[in-house]
């Protein structure tokens, strides 16, 4: 079996309602079943799925950390190539064969990232445009193949990154060790659009608490690939609050400043919710998210500064 086994697919899962779509796609790959194995590490009960996916190795861990799950999966992987994807992704039928072939041909490559397409939007909301950023190459672990040797050389995932930036940290560590990470658009997965998540913006803002640690470990690569934890919309909001604060301090007429801020917030909220949700609870949720997002980011960064002792 070891002779035939060429690749291990490692999945860190916390969405039991989505894992079946991924596993069905992995069972339908255009490659011999003895060439690859699938390992799922999850924080929910999987017993009802064992019979349906008898060829999957299941591991339960009472830990929501995505890094801890992936490290457990990698530690139990028997192949020399590790393919990482997420439970909200659907790999194309040739996903494994394309990734495997690329690393077999490009011997000096430590890892290869594939192309992630966003699921076609069936819900007309502006948030979809923001989700499309996942289609840009960024060395994310929802679609990337690592040589196990390169992965082990840097010590795997740093488990201090529990929910975000763990993929960037691993990639940066490999690059700093002299490794090479390529990009191949033929290695494709589709990322499902989670339209039901109302507070995604605030969740991502709070996850910026790991940016100080990432910057502490890789200042040069952080500046090159990420630049800033503040998005343009958050910067606009910070600017509006700053102008309003100055107006209050100087005791100038605040009517037009308030109108400007109100319109800016409305535009940013509408941009996320979409015009079709103007009279929908989602629009209210997005307005609230846009208004408080700068403060959530600042709180997250302060948390990271204190926790990881890096400004």
């Amino acid at each position: 079996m070891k002779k035939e086994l060429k690749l291990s697919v490692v999945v860190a899962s916390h969405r039991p309602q989505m894992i079946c779509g991924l596993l069905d796609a992995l069972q339908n790959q255009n490659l011999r079943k003895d060439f690859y194995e699938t390992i799922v590490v999850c924080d929910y009960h999987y017993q009802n799925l064992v019979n349906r996916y008898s060829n999957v190795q299941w591991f339960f861990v009472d830990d929501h950390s995505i890094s801890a799950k992936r490290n457990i999966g990698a530690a139990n992987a028997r192949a020399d190539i590790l393919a990482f994807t997420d439970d909200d992704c659907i790999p194309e039928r040739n996903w494994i064969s394309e990734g495997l072939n690329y690393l077999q041909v490009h011997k000096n490559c430590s890892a290869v990232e594939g192309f992630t397409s966003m699921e076609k939007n069936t819900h007309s909301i502006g948030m979809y445009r923001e989700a499309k950023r996942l289609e840009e190459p960024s060395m994310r672990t929802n679609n990337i193949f690592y040589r196990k040797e390169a992965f082990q050389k840097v010590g795997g995932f740093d488990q201090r990154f529990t929910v975000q930036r763990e993929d960037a940290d691993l990639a940066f560590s490999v690059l700093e060790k002299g490794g090479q990470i390529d990009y191949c658009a033929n290695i494709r997965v589709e990322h499902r659009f989670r339209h039901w998540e109302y507070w995604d913006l605030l969740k991502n803002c709070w996850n910026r608490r790991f940016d100080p640690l990432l910057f502490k470990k890789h200042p040069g690569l952080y500046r090159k690939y990420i630049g800033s934890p503040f998005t343009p919309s958050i910067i606009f909001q910070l600017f509006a609050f700053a102008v309003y604060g100055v107006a209050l301090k100087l005791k100038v007429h605040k009517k037009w400043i308030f109108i400007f801020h109100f319109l800016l917030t409305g535009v940013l909220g509408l941009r996320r919710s979409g015009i079709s949700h103007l009279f929908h609870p989602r629009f209210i949720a997005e307005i609230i998210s846009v208004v408080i997002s700068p403060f959530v980011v600042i709180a997250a960064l302060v948390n990271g500064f204190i926790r990881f002792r890096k400004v």
Side-chain angles (χ1 to χ4, degrees):
M1 182 66 179
K2 174 64 178 175
K3 273 192 172 182
E4 298 294 339
L5 194 64
K6 299 180 183 298
L7 182 143
S8 299
V9 180
V10 176
V11 181
S13 176
H14 64 276
R15 303 181 187 94
Q17 74 277 18
M18 304 190 83
I19 189 66
C20 291
L22 168 64
L23 295 181
D24 289 342
L26 290 176
Q27 287 192 330
N28 196 35
Q29 294 291 298
N30 64 346
L31 195 68
R32 281 174 46 185
K33 294 292 189 291
D34 57 343
F35 275 15
Y36 66 97
E37 63 178 354
T38 302
I39 301 170
V40 176
V41 186
C42 57
D43 54 19
Y44 52 82
H45 297 295
Y46 57 81
Q47 284 75 13
N48 61 322
L49 298 171
V50 171
N51 291 334
R52 179 174 174 180
Y53 304 104
S54 57
N55 61 326
V56 172
Q57 294 183 58
W58 294 90
F59 295 90
F60 171 80
V61 56
D62 190 14
D63 191 337
H64 294 301
S65 168
I66 196 168
S67 298
K69 290 173 187 167
R70 288 191 179 127
N71 280 338
I72 290 171
N76 286 277
R78 295 173 292 164
D80 294 328
I81 294 176
L82 305 173
F84 293 100
T85 190
D86 291 338
D87 54 16
D88 55 358
C89 291
I90 304 292
E92 290 198 355
R93 194 165 183 267
N94 63 346
W95 179 65
I96 292 177
S97 59
E98 287 287 347
L100 182 61
N101 181 65
Y102 191 94
L103 289 180
Q104 288 176 334
V105 171
H106 300 82
K107 302 293 185 183
N108 295 326
C109 181
S110 302
V112 58
E113 177 188 9
F115 172 70
T116 299
S117 64
M118 180 54 61
E119 177 186 21
K120 289 185 178 178
N121 179 23
T122 56
H123 299 262
S124 181
I125 60 175
M127 182 181 155
Y128 180 73
R129 292 192 301 272
E130 200 163 303
K132 292 275 284 183
R133 74 188 190 282
L134 293 173
E135 297 186 347
E136 301 170 4
S138 192
M139 297 176 286
R140 297 184 183 90
T141 35
N142 71 290
N143 184 11
I144 197 164
F145 292 66
Y146 276 96
R147 296 191 192 278
K148 195 173 186 179
E149 180 183 11
F151 178 86
Q152 293 174 331
K153 187 177 180 180
V154 300
F157 290 98
D158 185 337
Q159 291 184 194
R160 290 176 293 179
F161 297 93
T162 56
V163 294
Q164 199 175 71
R165 299 304 197 199
E166 83 293 337
D167 43 11
D169 173 65
L170 175 63
F172 291 173
S173 297
V174 169
L175 293 174
E176 288 171 346
K177 289 287 186 181
Q180 176 182 324
I181 300 178
D182 288 354
Y183 173 79
C184 177
N186 293 330
I187 306 169
R188 304 173 70 90
V189 303
E190 181 182 74
H191 197 293
R192 281 176 276 185
F193 180 51
R194 303 193 301 271
H195 58 84
W196 58 87
E197 294 186 355
Y198 271 38
W199 306 103
D200 189 61
L201 174 61
L202 297 183
K203 181 185 74 174
N204 287 331
C205 288
W206 179 240
N207 287 342
R208 291 294 185 267
R209 65 190 185 276
F210 297 105
D211 278 48
L213 176 58
L214 186 65
F215 183 79
K216 180 178 183 178
K217 293 183 67 177
H218 318 282
L221 291 174
Y222 184 96
R223 292 190 185 98
K224 178 179 179 180
Y225 288 101
I226 297 174
S228 169
F230 296 98
T231 64
S233 63
I234 290 176
I235 291 172
F236 280 134
Q237 276 293 315
L238 284 171
F239 173 74
F241 278 118
V243 170
Y244 200 65
V246 170
L248 286 172
K249 183 71 174 176
L250 299 178
K251 297 181 180 180
V252 301
H253 193 59
K254 299 177 287 296
K255 176 183 174 182
W256 293 110
I257 297 174
F258 176 80
I259 292 174
F260 160 74
H261 194 182
F262 177 80
L263 291 175
L264 174 65
T265 302
V267 168
L268 293 176
L270 195 62
R271 182 175 177 270
R272 287 186 57 83
S273 69
I275 190 68
S276 63
H277 287 73
L278 181 59
F279 302 104
H280 190 276
R282 175 175 286 278
F283 178 60
I284 303 301
E286 296 298 348
I287 286 288
I288 295 170
S289 295
V290 166
V291 169
I292 67 176
S293 60
F295 305 104
V296 176
V297 170
I298 292 170
L301 293 176
V302 170
N303 177 282
F305 296 157
I306 296 170
R307 184 178 174 187
F308 302 117
R309 300 180 182 177
K310 182 61 182 180
V311 177

